[in-house]
Amino acid sequence: MGLKEKSIDLRRRMRNALRGGGEKAIQRQKAIGKLTARERIISLLDHNTFHEYDLFVEHAAKDFDMDKKYLPGDGVITGTGMIMGHPVCIYAQDFTVAGGSLGWMHAKKITKIMDHALKLKVPLIGINDSGGARIQEGVNSLAGYGEIFYRNTLASGVIPQISVILGPCAGGAVYSPALTDFVFVVENISKMFITGPEVIKTVLGEEISMEALGGARVHCETTGNAHFFAESEQQCFDQIKNLVSYIPWNNARKAEKFPKKRPNSKKYKIGNIIPSVPREPYDVRNVIRAVTDDSSFMEIQELFAQNIVIGFGRMDGETVGFVANQPMVLAGVLDVDSSDKAARFIRYCDSFNIPLVTLVDLPGYLPGVDQEHAGVIRHGAKILYAYSEATVPKITLIMRKAYGGGYIAMCSHHLRADFVFAWPTAEIAVMGPEGAANIIFRKEIAAAEDPDAFRKQKVEEYKEKFANPYVAAAYGYIDAVIEPSETRKMLIRALDISKDKEVFLPAKKHGVPPF
Ligand code: HXC
């Protein structure tokens, strides 16, 4: 064959490989609102930036007549591209080819692109759509998963890892997304579970649909396994692009700097957000939007453990990670789920050089048998650990209540916040005035002629003495008491002066956090 014939042969081979599982299988996927694996990659990446590799990889399985089957690309597409100008490595499982099931060569394609991502220090994006371990390939499929999990762990904290669940992700396969930093799901399309409805019915006699067991909403609202919920694949890709704009490519870089913008101070008037009545709820996201550039805020895990708010915003063009108690939900208490949610985010920001701003308004840890038995001690400790260990700039603002363990946990000076500010409305005490007066004056209240009036008087005395920022400020635990209107200016100054912060922790292989 001359070059011309060889080129024709190459194009024929490419056409063959590019047809995936064939028109019928593709139409079956389209009918349920899914794009093909290649369409997904093209939609997500910047125009014309996808370079595909390993198109001609084939499986090497022999059993169960596999040697007679041709599986184009072995059911997974891999390559490199750009998102918002950021280079990325990407793979997408192709459900039209043997249900996107993971055999040995399929896994080798994924691990090869993972190795590239780690070596080139660029984010890794995995689009999961698979029936799980390829049954015909037995232990080799399991080995493939093990190789992926190992690499997910090595890459953790070095490059951002993003998982997109766009179909089934069942059995042990779910552990790759679980080991990555951000999991995106789409309503009616994403399904994640360890054991599916059939197994649950056989073993436990319980009937449940796939959606109710492990659909997108369940993982965003209940389990916390997913971080972003979308109603369509296109919306999901827009969310990924937005996320990528906030984070650095790897742990040796800083996030890209954007042009500075002012917040929308007409819509978000910071002085009016906190109600004048002490216990009244308000939406802490309005405080965040009142201080960020363009009032933009990308919330993460918006539907899970809503008593704490986490996410990214920019201040003077630079990415900031926000952690804020949400007084609108459970008065903003810390509990098992909110501690998990915040601790993981703090560690992410610390790994990727993103400074942390913490907004405090909470009555403490949530009391109750449920919480105690669910391990609020163990889970609550995670947030203490994460803040203490974090060496990125840490700026804290106490807006209203900072009681008890909550005061310490929400990035107090004692956990090495660099700057702690408080509004004049801040109340820093061991507990709320009512609870405190009831405990320390119990005997006197019981003996009083008018116990109610006496209790009220003692509550007032306690409030007068402790429900303010000045006792803490007198000990230097608060660096400055500031007017709400000064907040953005003070935060930006503090972030600016902390840019070259250096902290050296004791040498160790790694700590032993309360996982
Ligand atoms: C081989 C598979 C497969 C698998 C699907 N297919 N899953 N082939 N191994 N695991 C094939 C089907 O045979 C079919 O091939 C094609 O993919 C499409 O599958 P359908 O069943 O027709 O699709 P659908 O009706 O949409 O159902 C999707 C599904 C179902 C719910 C995912 O396929 C399913 O339940 N698959 C098995 C899931 C599972 O139990 N996997 C193992 C999990 S254990 P044809 O040729 O007919 O088109 C696991 C362990 C990992 O993953 C451990 C890691 C530590």
Side-chain angles (χ1 to χ4, degrees), residues 269-511:
K269 291 195 173 69
I270 197 159
N272 298 345
I273 295 171
I274 291 205
S276 44
V277 184
R279 287 175 181 217
E280 204 149 298
Y282 61 92
D283 189 345
V284 76
R285 289 172 297 196
N286 290 336
V287 179
I288 298 173
R289 290 187 185 279
V291 297
T292 55
D293 291 9
D294 209 22
S295 294
S296 296
F297 177 53
M298 182 169 204
E299 189 169 352
I300 300 168
Q301 289 185 300
E302 184 180 347
L303 303 172
F304 177 67
Q306 294 180 35
N307 38 330
I308 205 150
V309 169
I310 57 171
F312 296 123
R314 288 192 190 90
M315 297 190 78
D316 258 6
E318 311 244 16
T319 298
V320 173
F322 285 92
V323 180
N325 307 120
Q326 175 56 288
M328 253 183 11
V329 180
L330 293 171
V333 286
L334 284 176
D335 58 2
V336 166
D337 285 343
S338 60
S339 300
D340 269 3
K341 174 176 162 181
R344 196 157 192 266
F345 180 66
I346 294 161
R347 294 195 95 195
Y348 182 85
C349 291
D350 191 42
S351 289
F352 289 96
N353 313 311
I354 297 172
L356 286 158
V357 167
T358 302
L359 304 179
V360 186
D361 187 349
L362 83 167
Y365 279 94
L366 181 62
V369 179
D370 281 0
Q371 283 293 308
E372 296 290 345
H373 288 185
V376 71
I377 297 174
R378 179 163 51 90
H379 294 285
K382 292 178 188 175
I383 197 165
L384 300 171
Y385 194 104
Y387 269 131
S388 301
E389 174 195 52
T391 57
V392 286
K394 298 184 282 194
I395 323 291
T396 302
L397 170 71
I398 303 177
M399 300 175 298
R400 201 167 56 171
K401 296 185 291 289
Y403 295 156
Y407 156 71
I408 307 168
M410 291 305 292
C411 204
S412 59
H413 253 309
H414 324 296
L415 306 189
R416 300 297 181 268
D418 298 294
F419 296 97
V420 179
F421 303 128
W423 285 350
T425 43
E427 302 174 17
I428 300 147
V430 174
M431 59 169 69
E434 282 78 12
N438 274 337
I439 292 173
I440 54 184
F441 301 112
R442 190 166 52 89
K443 285 193 196 123
E444 290 88 335
I445 291 171
E449 222 166 82
D450 183 346
D452 276 347
F454 187 78
R455 180 186 294 111
K456 261 193 196 142
Q457 180 199 328
K458 290 296 167 195
V459 166
E460 280 313 311
E461 278 175 24
Y462 187 90
K463 265 191 199 162
E464 187 62 27
K465 186 149 180 54
F466 293 114
N468 62 59
Y470 302 108
V471 180
Y475 286 106
Y477 300 150
I478 305 284
D479 297 294
V481 181
I482 62 169
E483 296 281 357
S485 59
E486 296 175 289
T487 305
R488 179 174 150 95
K489 184 183 72 189
M490 293 299 282
L491 291 177
I492 288 176
R493 271 195 199 154
L495 289 166
D496 205 42
I497 204 162
S498 311
K499 273 205 175 98
D500 292 325
K501 176 184 173 185
E502 259 187 331
V503 169
F504 298 99
L505 301 176
K508 53 179 146 180
K509 186 172 172 190
H510 54 67

Side-chain angles (χ1 to χ4, degrees), residues 30 33-51 77 80-85 88 90-92 125 127 164 166 186 232-242 244:
K30 296 254 165 181
K34 291 166 72 174
L35 297 173
T36 66
R38 239 177 226 95
E39 284 169 349
R40 285 167 171 169
I41 291 178
I42 303 291
S43 307
L44 177 58
L45 297 182
D46 296 348
H47 183 61
N48 248 339
T49 60
F50 181 48
H51 288 174
I77 297 162
T80 60
M82 308 282 272
I83 296 184
M84 311 284 289
V88 297
I90 189 163
Y91 70 86
I125 298 178
I127 301 180
V164 196
L166 293 181
V186 176
S232 66
E233 295 199 11
Q234 196 49 57
Q235 189 188 14
C236 172
F237 300 147
D238 291 342
Q239 291 172 342
I240 296 170
K241 288 177 198 174
N242 196 20
V244 168

Side-chain angles (χ1 to χ4, degrees), residues 21 25 28-29 32 34 66 69 71 94-103 129-137 141-146 149 167-175 191 193-199 210:
R28 226 183 121 204
Q29 296 300 296
I32 49 174
K34 291 166 72 174
M66 284 296 282
K69 280 193 182 158
L71 302 179
D94 183 349
F95 195 86
T96 66
V97 178
S101 57
L102 184 136
D129 186 3
S130 163
R134 187 173 297 152
I135 296 162
Q136 299 91 326
E137 295 201 31
S141 309
L142 302 182
Y145 276 117
F149 303 161
C169 182
V174 294
Y175 284 111
K191 316 268 183 279
F193 37 74
I194 300 270
T195 48
E198 285 303 321
V199 178
M210 266 201 211

